[in-house]
Amino acid sequence: MSAPRGPADPSGLERYYVLTGGRSGPGGSAASLDVATLVVSRTAPLPGMQHEHEEILRRCREPLSVAELGAHLGLPFNILAVLLADLLEADRVEARDPIPAHGAGSGPDLALLEEVLSGLQRL
């Protein structure tokens, strides 16, 4: 059984409202973010930054997808997108489109699959 929540214990929707300053979605360049977008830090966290911004900068020293970042931080996509918009606007992170698979949508490369099968058969 969970402990009762008091007015000083922001949780759920109240917590998200506080984290985003009441914003419900990202604007500007962050509007094109999706779950596969890779995020990488450009700077280290600064003293006095919002805790979630610090966490994003720490976790994204190496490129991390928005989906993975959301899972690590326990935040829904729209809330995370607002936080990322803040960091993008401040030029503290970079958002990169994922590297598309060669010939995406055309199925697996048959020659590559044959090479893998051949290699497995030799084992």
Side-chain angles (χ1 to χ4, degrees):
M1 183 172 214
S2 64
R5 294 184 175 114
D9 180 21
S11 57
L13 296 177
E14 294 169 356
R15 175 176 175 251
Y16 298 150
Y17 183 87
V18 171
L19 289 178
T20 63
R23 296 170 290 164
S24 62
S29 62
S32 65
L33 291 174
D34 67 28
V35 293
T37 301
L38 298 175
V39 179
V40 64
S41 302
R42 292 182 141 195
T43 64
L46 297 173
M49 287 183 89
Q50 183 175 333
H51 173 73
E52 289 73 16
H53 287 150
E54 289 179 9
E55 279 299 306
I56 291 168
L57 292 175
R58 278 192 202 100
R59 290 184 183 270
C60 292
R61 289 182 184 131
E62 297 293 323
L64 196 62
S65 74
V66 172
E68 292 171 304
L69 187 56
H72 287 301
L73 299 176
L75 294 173
F77 174 79
N78 63 324
I79 302 302
L80 181 57
V82 171
L83 297 174
L84 288 171
D86 295 341
L87 294 171
L88 283 164
E89 187 176 303
D91 206 28
R92 299 203 172 281
V93 296
E94 179 181 339
R96 302 176 183 168
D97 290 330
I99 299 170
H102 182 67
S106 63
D109 181 7
L110 188 57
L112 176 62
L113 290 176
E114 287 173 350
E115 286 181 43
V116 170
L117 180 59
S118 174
L120 290 172
Q121 288 172 339
R122 283 182 284 192
L123 290 177

